[in-house]
């Protein structure tokens, strides 16, 4: 079994969750914040059999769009916009996906 951790743009999270659950995958959604831009994103935890990992990745890929986001030189410090700052565009996502081995999964 594998644990898929997928960080997805908030705007795509409803469609990703909907398609994954439609395909009968178990999904947990966490509200998270990117450490660089300090804006909200969504992290999915998905426990799946190894044979199903390509389908899970495909769904995430199909429903996660790449976007540009305005960042500032202080974005990475989480201190927000200052009046003298020059914003610049940062390319974000589709999705960032990790696949981990799972030793066991139990429901009590
Ligand atoms: P953020 O950390 O807010 O990063 C948003 C975007 O800013 C990134 O898009 C990337 O284009 C840029 N960026 C991030 N760190 C940077 C840095 N140190 N210098 C310059 N530009 C930087 P993505 O790569 O698509 O990442 C989207 C979100 O996925 C991230 O939001 C973070 O929440 C997560 N993420 C990405 N890589 C990760 C990793 N290796 N480990 C954990 N989470 C990760």
């Amino acid at each position: 079994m594998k644990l898929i951790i997928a960080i997805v743009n908030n705007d795509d999270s409803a469609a990703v969750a909907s398609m994954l659950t439609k395909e009968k995958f178990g999904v947990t959604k966490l509200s998270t914040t990117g450490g660089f831009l300090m804006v909200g994103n969504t992290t999915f935890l998905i426990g799946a059999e190894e044979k199903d990992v390509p389908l899970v990745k495909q769904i995430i890929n199909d429903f996660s769009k790449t976007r540009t986001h305005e960042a500032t030189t202080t974005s990475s410090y989480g201190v927000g916009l200052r009046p003298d700052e020059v914003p610049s565009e940062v390319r974000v996502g589709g999705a960032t996906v990790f696949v981990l081995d799972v030793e066991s999964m139990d429901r009590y």
Side-chain angles (χ1 to χ4, degrees), residues 9-11 34 36-41 65-72 75 87-93:
N9 193 293
N10 276 347
D11 294 340
F36 184 70
L37 292 177
M38 302 300 288
V39 298
N41 52 30
K65 298 182 187 71
T66 300
R67 293 179 171 82
T68 54
H69 196 288
E70 209 164 82
T72 70
S75 283
S88 62
E89 285 203 333
V90 174
R91 195 166 171 274
V92 185

Side-chain angles (χ1 to χ4, degrees), residues 5-8 28-32 41-45:
I5 301 175
I7 302 154
V8 172
T28 295
K29 268 176 72 181
L30 305 174
S31 295
T32 46
N41 52 30
T42 301
T43 298
F44 288 94
L45 305 180

Side-chain angles (χ1 to χ4, degrees), residues 8 11-13 15-16 19 58-65:
V8 172
D11 294 340
D12 298 325
S13 66
V16 170
M19 284 311 295
Q58 185 64 53
I59 291 169
I60 293 167
N61 183 39
D62 286 350
F63 289 89
S64 300
K65 298 182 187 71

